[in-house]
Amino acid sequence: MIEGLLSYSRAGGQNHPFETVDLNRVVEQVRSRLEDMISRSGAKMEFSGLPTVIGDHSQLETVFENLIKNAIKFRSSAEPLVKIYA
């Protein structure tokens, strides 16, 4: 968890111009990168209806990656279900 926070704080120092970002696409990209972790844990993941926002694409990827990883790591013994929606 601390490693994730350090990584996020380092990303904050990079000044990328804001752009239009489709959060559905961001979460799909993150889900694809974490496919091994998701399948090993038996997690199910649902997301839909996420908005398009103005922001830093790389920072938004980092936020969603940390949230998804934490949801899978810090859970009860039940099979994890990660739902992301707006």
Side-chain angles (χ1 to χ4, degrees):
M1 190 172 190
I2 291 174
E3 183 179 314
L5 289 170
L6 288 171
S7 175
Y8 181 72
S9 70
R10 284 190 296 273
Q14 301 169 0
N15 292 324
H16 294 113
F18 279 12
E19 60 185 334
T20 302
V21 181
D22 178 352
L23 293 182
N24 289 294
R25 186 174 167 138
V26 168
V27 173
E28 180 58 42
Q29 291 167 337
V30 170
R31 186 202 59 77
S32 181
R33 270 200 313 268
L34 298 178
E35 187 60 41
D36 287 341
M37 180 185 199
I38 292 168
S39 63
R40 279 194 316 269
S41 70
K44 303 291 186 241
M45 195 169 149
E46 300 174 4
F47 65 95
S48 65
L50 301 177
T52 297
V53 298
I54 305 296
D56 182 326
H57 188 275
S58 64
Q59 285 187 352
L60 289 165
E61 278 188 345
T62 301
V63 168
F64 279 104
E65 184 171 329
N66 286 335
L67 288 171
I68 293 166
K69 282 180 174 179
N70 286 341
I72 293 171
K73 286 181 193 175
F74 304 106
R75 61 183 169 89
S76 68
S77 60
E79 185 174 275
L81 172 60
V82 179
K83 291 184 179 184
I84 303 170
Y85 59 91

